[in-house]
């Protein structure tokens, strides 16, 4: 749908806007996601570090002319632009979405709960799609900004909407309810997730229930919600008690499926589901309850349940064939999610070529001509070089007369089978590939074909979690304090290139690496941020200059050699960083050397100091706060001495991750954020709610039953005291799993339980005791560290630190990058 500006102005009760030159079809909150400038409205929403209005000049240059602001801006600089001045841009966005929602009278399902919202939404879409043209929230768009963007996608062709709503504290649900205005509610469960925003589970239940105040019916999982739900309408419940509408009589688990024995309206029936874990069973029961409420026959429910497919809720970036990267986003396929995925692809690929394998977009409600015109524009805006189009719809649209005018190549295939039978591995070389397909096209077959088939042990790096952690630390900084992100040692083992790209997108000020080779790799990955190299020698000078890397200078020998090299190259004022020793006694100039250092930097044009830094010894430990204060005092005095001698001010930084949190006085001009980015809080109190970034996972290779008295592994070190079931996991000390974790010191997590390590850890394999985890089987995924096994706890078990554990993960372990 499109809206004239005067209609939008009326929503906000604004006068004087009657410009009919523009009609608005798209709402934009992220300047990077803008595709159709002439039909878009930008909401200048400010974050903790940057104002929303800071992006307007760039958007105006790119053709956008309509903006919503809540801060003063000089509008005369933007000829022909229209500015809506509101009290709060987020509230204005929500009000416009609520107005749009009021245009429709179709059924709207709203889902909330602590967990399972996205899974239930996606499964309901799979189950109900044959009868309905469904609009649903893309990914996990369930926040104060995500919900209005989701609701805005509703149009006249849709016959059912499914939206999820998530809150993290009291007082947030009212706005979401006003936008979604559900007719049917789904309450999945209440758990400890986001407990910090509520007094207790009862208050959390009350706050989430606000979503359903206008709903005609509320489906709830009675076994998963203990507190009373303040709702006056009709309930449809499921659970083990006979009072429920849908009664769970029994759950039988087999090797790869479960049989649910259920009772509904006096009849007992069995339904097979293709899952065996408890969480999937709960989510499936919620979907069955919905289908029963919507009066689906038992035969249809039984048939469709076995067709349910697991939902991968996060975009995954994996290493692929021929030095390619594969972005698998076959999670949904519509214009909005395509736009999100293309934006992500553009950010990741940088200057490298990018291709897309795209299926027909089904059930869009648009004529193919209009639909694929929009798709073409999206591909143009995101610099796609090659489109592999799969499906009869695109085969019909992309005629030779259309293809010849496109800036990208097009190859057409009527089906996934034809693609797999026609395209060779050689077609993809050193590029980024986006996989985006509707479920019926079975793009998982293409993903398996394209992925580099290597070691099954993987290190998952959650880039969304990393951004959350970055914002937590940024919120502790004063507005003028800059931030240098540490990406040395392969970004603490997480993969420097992808981590640096996400940090560049988040506009950190600086990156730091240990060696020049690491900086070169970042430049080749498309990183243009300034990069400080912390350990340089004469052999690396050429590389520093060729790749615009800035050396940390810590000795007179290095300073003199670098100055001479710069002079020979005919360069001037090359940026350097001066390292001062204030107590670490590792690298850096001592206090007594400062007069000589100042003299060496005066009356020369070869180099210019960019920053001055020092290294704190124990900023995380309260027992050494006195020494930390001494270090800071020495540092500030030394910097003052240098500034006075040189005649110009210097950017100063001494605070590391722990100091950012514990001592605001140490922030100075810039801070260096390291291990905290990766979700590790090294301070004693651990007050920050950091998200887990890195998860090391592997799979079970084999399961065997052994009798009491038998032994496991080398040297017969693992002697069994009972009849046991032992699983062999595909990870060993060559992958970075410390040998000291053997013989019960370490454990792995699977199926909601912890399995202790048995015997010695081998080079490539480790054995664990799964006797008390009867559902465990070959092929199951196990967690070595991550969400359930804290990396700090794992490191402490063998007397080391999280830094060593993270950086010790072998390079043969595949890194998988995910974004939620």
């Amino acid at each position: 749908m499109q809206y004239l500006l005067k209609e939008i102005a009326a929503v906000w009760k604004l006068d004087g806007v009657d410009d009919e030159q523009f009609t608005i079809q798209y709402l934009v909150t992220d300047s990077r996601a803008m595709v159709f400038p002439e039909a878009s409205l930008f909401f200048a929403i400010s974050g903790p570090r940057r104002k929303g209005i800071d992006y307007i000049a760039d958007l105006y240059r790119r053709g956008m002319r309509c903006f919503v602001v809540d801060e003063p801006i000089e509008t005369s600089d933007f000829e022909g632009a229209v500015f809506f001045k509101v009290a709060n841009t987020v509230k204005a966005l929500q009000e416009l979405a609520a107005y749009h929602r009021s245009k429709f009278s179709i059924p709207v399902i709203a889902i909330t709960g602590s967990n399972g919202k996205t899974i239930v939404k996606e499964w309901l879409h799979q189950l109900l799609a044959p009868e309905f043209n469904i609009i649903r929230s893309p990914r996990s768009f369930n926040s104060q900004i995500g919900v209005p963007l989701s609701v805005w996608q509703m149009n006249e062709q849709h016959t059912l909407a499914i939206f999820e709503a998530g809150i993290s504290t009291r007082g947030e649900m009212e706005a979401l309810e006003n936008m979604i205005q559900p007719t049917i509610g789904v309450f999945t469960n209440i758990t400890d997730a986001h407990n910090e925003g509520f007094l207790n589970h009862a208050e959390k239940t009350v706050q989430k229930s606000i979503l359903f105040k206008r709903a005609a019916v509320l489906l709830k999982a009675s076994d998963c919600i203990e507190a009373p739900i303040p709702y006056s309408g009709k309930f449809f419940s499921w659970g083990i008690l006979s009072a429920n509408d849908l009664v769970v009589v029994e759950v039988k688990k087999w090797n790869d499926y479960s049989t649910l024995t259920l009772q509904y309206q006096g009849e007992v029936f069995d339904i097979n589901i293709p899952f065996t874990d408890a969480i999937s069973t709960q989510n499936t029961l919620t979907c069955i309850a919905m289908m029963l409420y919507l009066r689906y026959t038992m035969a249809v429910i039984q048939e469709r349940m076995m067709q349910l497919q697991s939902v991968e809720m996060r975009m995954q970036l994996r290493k692929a064939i021929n030095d390619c990267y594969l972005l698998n986003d076959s999670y949904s396929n519509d214009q909005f999610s395509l736009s999100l995925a293309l934006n992500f692809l553009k950010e990741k690929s940088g200057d490298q070529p990018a291709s897309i394998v795209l299926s027909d977009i089904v059930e869009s409600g648009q004529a193919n001509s209009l639909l694929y015109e929009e798709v073409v524009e999206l591909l143009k805006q995101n610099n796609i070089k090659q489109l592999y189009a799969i499906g009869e719809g695109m085969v019909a649209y992309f005629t030779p007369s259309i293809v010849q005018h496109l800036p990208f190549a097009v190859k057409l295939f009527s089906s996934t089978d034809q693609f797999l039978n026609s395209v060779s591995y050689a077609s993809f070389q050193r590029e980024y590939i986006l996989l985006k397909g509707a479920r019926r096209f079975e793009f998982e077959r293409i993903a398996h074909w394209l992925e580099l088939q290597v070691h099954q042990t993987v290190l998952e790096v959650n880039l969304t979690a990393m951004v959350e952690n970055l914002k937590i630390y940024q919120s502790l900084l004063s507005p003028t304090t800059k931030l240098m992100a540490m990406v040395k040692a392969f970004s603490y083992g997480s993969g420097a290139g992808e981590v640096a790209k996400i940090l560049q997108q988040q506009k950190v000020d600086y990156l730091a690496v240990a060696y020049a080779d690491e900086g070169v790799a970042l430049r080749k990955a498309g990183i243009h941020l300034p990069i400080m190299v912390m350990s340089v020698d004469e052999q690396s000078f050429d590389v520093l200059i060729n790749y615009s890397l800035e050396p940390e200078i810590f000795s007179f020998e290095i300073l003199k050699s670098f100055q001479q090299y710069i002079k020979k190259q005919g360069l001037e004022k090359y940026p350097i960083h001066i390292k001062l020793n204030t107590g670490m006694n590792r690298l850096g100039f001592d206090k007594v050397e400062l007069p000589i250092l100042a003299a060496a930097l005066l009356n020369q044009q070869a180099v210019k100091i960019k920053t001055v830094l020092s290294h704190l010894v124990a900023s995380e430990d309260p027992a050494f706060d006195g020494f930390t204060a001494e270090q800071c005092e020495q540092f500030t005095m030394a910097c003052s001495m240098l500034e006075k001698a040189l005649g110009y001010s210097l950017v100063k930084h001494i605070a590391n991750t722990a100091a950012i949190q514990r001592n605001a006085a140490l922030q100075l001009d810039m801070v260096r954020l390291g291990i905290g980015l990766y979700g590790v809080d090294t301070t004693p109190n651990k007050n920050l709610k950091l998200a887990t970034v890195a998860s090391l996972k592997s799979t079970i290779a084999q399961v065997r039953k052994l009798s009491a008295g038998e032994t496991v592994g080398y040297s017969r070190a693992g002697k069994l005291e009972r009849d046991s079931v032992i699983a062999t996991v595909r990870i060993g000390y060559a992958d970075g799993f410390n040998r000291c974790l053997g013989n019960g010191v370490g454990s792995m997590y699977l199926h909601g339980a912890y399995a202790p390590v048995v015997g010695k850890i081998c080079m490539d394999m480790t054995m664990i005791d799964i006797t008390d985890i009867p559902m465990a089987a070959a092929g199951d995924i196990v967690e070595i560290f991550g969400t359930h096994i804290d990396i700090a706890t794992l490191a402490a078990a063998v007397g080391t630190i999280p830094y060593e554990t993270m950086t010790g993960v072998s390079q043969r372990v595949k890194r998988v990058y995910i974004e939620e």
Side-chain angles (χ1 to χ4, degrees), residues 216-243:
V217 65
L218 173 57
L219 281 68
K220 67 170 182 174
S222 296
D223 298 341
C224 307
I225 305 171
E226 296 179 358
I229 299 176
Y231 170 72
S232 58
K234 177 185 177 183
F235 281 105
F236 188 108
S237 63
W238 67 261
I240 60 175
L241 299 179
S242 60

Side-chain angles (χ1 to χ4, degrees), residues 708-811:
E710 292 192 76
T711 61
V712 177
Y714 287 116
S715 304
R716 304 198 71 191
K719 186 174 182 179
L720 302 178
E721 297 182 357
R722 62 172 179 170
D723 292 347
S724 303
V725 182
I726 303 299
T728 300
V729 181
R730 295 180 173 95
I731 189 171
Y733 59 78
D735 302 298
F737 193 52
N738 196 306
R739 290 186 74 243
C740 296
L741 291 164
N743 293 311
V745 175
S747 296
M748 299 184 188
Y749 181 88
L750 71 161
H751 292 295
Y754 297 89
V757 173
V758 181
K760 292 184 177 181
I761 293 170
C762 309
M763 180 181 289
D764 309 300
M765 297 286 175
T766 299
M767 284 68 78
I768 57 175
D769 187 342
I770 58 170
T771 308
D772 300 321
I773 312 175
M775 68 288 295
D780 284 356
I781 295 174
V782 300
E783 177 187 300
I784 291 86
F785 64 72
T787 305
H788 303 96
I789 298 179
D790 178 59
I791 190 171
T793 303
L794 184 70
V798 292
T800 186
I801 55 177
Y803 300 81
E804 182 179 354
T805 301
M806 287 188 65
T807 57
V809 178
S810 168
Q811 289 304 298

Side-chain angles (χ1 to χ4, degrees), residues 461-494:
V461 182
N462 189 323
L463 300 176
T464 301
M466 180 173 288
V467 171
E468 291 177 11
N469 295 338
L470 173 64
K471 290 180 178 178
I472 287 173
Y473 282 101
Q474 286 178 327
S475 70
L476 302 177
L477 303 179
S478 66
T480 58
T481 301
K482 296 181 178 181
L483 189 144
M484 175 183 284
M486 311 301 291
V487 292
K488 60 181 181 175
F490 199 55
S491 283
Y492 295 76
S494 298

Side-chain angles (χ1 to χ4, degrees), residues 327-347:
L327 175 58
N328 186 359
D329 189 33
S330 300
Y331 170 76
S332 58
N333 193 27
D334 54 68
Q335 297 99 303
F336 191 37
S337 67
L338 175 61
S339 175
L340 296 174
L342 284 168
N343 183 53
F344 184 66
L345 177 70
K346 185 178 181 180
E347 292 171 349

